[in-house]
Amino acid sequence: MLLALAVVVTAVIVGVAAYYIFGQAPKPQANLLEIYHWWTSGGEKAAIDALVAVFQKKYPDVGVIQSPVAGGAGYVFKSVMKSMVAAGEAPDAFQVHAGYEMKPYVDAGFLEPIDDLWRQEGWESVFPPVVRDMVSWGGHYYAVPVNIHRANVLWYNKKILDQYGIDPSTLETWDGFFAACEKLRAAGIQYPIAMGGIGKWEIAHVIEQIFVSQGVDFYQDLVNGKLNDPNDPRLVNAFNIMKKYMNYVNPDYASLTWDQAVAKVIRGEAAFTIMGDWANGEFYVAGKQFGVDYGAMPSPGTKGIYVLVVDCFEKPKGAKHPENSIKWLRVVGSREGQDAFNPIKGSISARLDADVTKYGPYQRAAIQDFKTAKYMVPSIVHGSGAPEKFASAFNDIASKFAADRDVAAACKAIIDAINAAKSDYTKTWHLTG
Ligand code: BGC
């Protein structure tokens, strides 16, 4: 007892002395990593947990705090993160899309260049040039890509297609696709296409893929802010296709999330949904088998084109645990980290040396398609292709159009949105080769 008392008394004396010497009681510095992202659907959560598990195996002494902000494509997250960073409350790393979405952070000096890390990890030789370009600004690297998603994917319920004798190869054109929708409707499936719309971007996502189907030269003009004619036949045609598309969409789209739309296809309530290949993660967690229960193909008119969506993490200036931020980035960019995350996420590794045996059949096909793609184009809806000002106007235009289906008004609104963002177009994309 005397010994215990002596220990307590000594501890009190040391504590009091420290209080007077340092002005406050010494606080143990917690060894934490705090990351923010918007991966909250079933597939997304499983994927980020797998990546965090790789980190924890490597750095067992670091406690990881994940702070997810629900809302697909970061439609809630993005403004939350902007305010946090601007208020000097940046976490140790946060999810961001490669390309224009990073720009406001880079311009305001909120991110640290991480060229040394890129050099140490030898990333220049493993990440493809198209991705490297999207994460470098003014000759410096500011982020580490964790994946490459494909946006232009048509997902289908294979059992429904088999039952009604629809050959997926007939879905390569919009005419063929709408003929299939008509056939299914005649057979009693009133709304064969599932779509979400709660965050507006789910609708813009579909229109973006329709834009891509109007030709890469058209899409290039769009992302370079070079369209100026509201009567441009490619623009008008695109909205006419979307008008037709809306005929077959579930009427409650505006209250559904993207994954609720995918769930309709999983359950066989709808035959189709156009969504990025994060949808594969939902089929995966639902225990569905690619090629048996469901299938996927490039959305109509986009064969040979890969619409890129690239998620990244970075090192914010003033991060509270800068060393852990760097440790996280090392894992994010590593072969092991990417090969744990992406097989669940639905994306392919951003690295060219992925272990293909770890990936399921959808992604093996995607890896092949990526290697042989004729064109790679950046998604606007998912932050890369066009300035944020245009991207956010595009979401509003899309959701208004889904409701009023006014083609002329939508075409005019697109041109107006380009003009309003004119000075923000600082990148010139060369997509046509
Ligand atoms: C992200 C994906 C995510 C999807 C839906 C996209 O913008 O790049 O990682 O799964 O949004 O939330």
Side-chain angles (χ1 to χ4, degrees):
M1 257 196 62
L2 269 181
L3 183 68
L5 190 66
V7 171
V8 172
V9 170
T10 314
V12 170
I13 292 170
V14 170
V16 171
Y19 183 86
Y20 282 106
I21 295 167
F22 302 112
Q24 58 181 29
K27 265 196 229 141
Q29 197 55 49
N31 191 9
L32 297 175
L33 168 79
E34 190 176 14
I35 53 168
Y36 271 69
H37 56 75
W38 65 79
W39 291 319
T40 56
S41 77
E44 291 176 328
K45 183 172 179 330
I48 182 63
D49 285 349
L51 183 58
V52 167
V54 174
F55 180 88
Q56 286 188 313
K57 205 173 83 202
K58 260 203 156 83
Y59 305 107
D61 53 325
V62 181
V64 180
I65 304 174
Q66 289 192 51
S67 300
V69 179
Y75 84 93
V76 182
F77 174 96
K78 286 182 196 170
S79 48
V80 170
M81 190 46 55
K82 267 206 184 129
S83 332
M84 282 179 63
V85 173
E89 288 300 326
D92 299 317
F94 60 91
Q95 183 184 354
V96 72
H97 287 125
Y100 272 108
E101 195 174 300
M102 297 173 57
K103 194 169 182 292
Y105 293 111
V106 175
D107 287 352
F110 288 142
L111 305 183
E112 287 197 8
I114 46 172
D115 301 323
D116 288 348
L117 182 64
W118 269 73
R119 204 168 314 114
Q120 287 160 17
E121 296 292 323
W123 284 334
E124 289 218 315
S125 56
V126 292
F127 290 125
V130 58
V131 173
R132 296 205 308 261
D133 283 355
M134 286 202 235
V135 294
S136 53
W137 299 88
H140 297 287
Y141 290 111
Y142 284 94
V144 184
V146 67
N147 61 9
I148 299 176
H149 271 302
R150 187 178 200 175
N152 56 320
V153 187
L154 171 68
W155 301 91
Y156 55 84
N157 181 308
K158 185 161 186 304
K159 295 202 164 138
I160 296 183
L161 264 50
D162 289 348
Q163 185 182 346
Y164 296 103
I166 294 168
D167 176 351
S169 71
T170 63
L171 309 174
E172 286 180 8
T173 63
W174 286 112
D175 283 349
F177 176 73
F178 289 129
C181 289
E182 219 21 71
K183 189 170 189 184
L184 292 171
R185 175 164 280 178
I189 304 178
Q190 183 69 2
Y191 299 109
I193 304 174
M195 189 176 82
I198 199 162
K200 299 180 180 175
W201 69 271
E202 303 88 341
I203 308 160
H205 183 105
V206 174
I207 299 176
E208 174 179 287
Q209 311 326 312
I210 298 175
F211 282 163
V212 174
S213 76
Q214 299 306 297
V216 172
D217 46 354
F218 169 70
Y219 194 76
Q220 177 171 281
D221 285 348
L222 176 68
V223 288
N224 286 338
K226 292 273 182 303
L227 288 187
N228 47 30
D229 179 6
N231 298 314
D232 185 317
R234 302 164 301 177
L235 186 59
V236 175
N237 199 30
F239 277 106
N240 275 320
I241 291 172
M242 186 59 181
K243 188 170 176 175
K244 229 174 179 176
Y245 191 91
M246 287 306 301
N247 279 334
Y248 301 103
V249 164
N250 48 296
D252 61 347
Y253 69 90
S255 62
L256 296 192
T257 60
W258 69 270
D259 46 314
Q260 286 171 327
V262 175
K264 277 181 180 287
V265 178
I266 293 176
R267 291 195 300 264
E269 289 165 26
F272 305 118
T273 192
I274 289 180
M275 189 36 66
D277 55 11
W278 43 90
N280 198 57
E282 301 309 300
F283 288 100
Y284 173 83
V285 293
K288 297 297 177 191
Q289 270 190 36
F290 185 77
V292 177
D293 301 305
Y294 71 104
M297 57 188 287
S299 48
T302 68
K303 200 173 170 182
I305 306 175
Y306 218 97
V307 182
L308 303 164
V309 179
V310 180
D311 293 302
C312 305
F313 286 93
E314 65 313 274
K315 181 169 184 253
K317 264 188 198 150
K320 295 198 181 51
H321 312 93
E323 280 157 24
N324 293 341
S325 174
I326 289 290
K327 285 179 185 158
W328 172 248
L329 295 182
R330 284 191 206 282
V331 170
V332 162
S334 69
R335 187 171 187 244
E336 191 190 350
Q338 303 224 346
D339 286 347
F341 177 75
N342 291 303
I344 306 174
K345 188 70 172 55
S347 33
I348 60 175
S349 173
R351 299 177 59 119
L352 297 166
D353 62 352
D355 177 356
V356 182
T357 63
K358 297 221 158 82
Y359 291 78
Y362 165 72
Q363 283 138 308
R364 287 192 194 184
I367 290 169
Q368 215 31 50
D369 279 5
F370 181 78
K371 280 193 193 141
T372 55
K374 193 153 180 228
Y375 302 108
M376 297 206 183
V377 311
S379 166
I380 297 169
V381 175
H382 302 281
S384 300
E388 275 205 306
K389 197 168 177 187
F390 176 79
S392 107
F394 183 26
N395 287 341
D396 291 335
I397 295 167
S399 89
K400 184 168 176 293
F401 180 76
D404 68 17
R405 320 229 175 136
D406 184 337
V407 173
C411 293
K412 183 177 177 303
I414 289 286
I415 302 301
D416 289 349
I418 291 174
N419 290 334
K422 222 33 186 219
S423 58
D424 293 358
Y425 287 87
T426 50
K427 231 177 152 80
T428 304
W429 298 97
H430 302 282
L431 307 177
T432 49

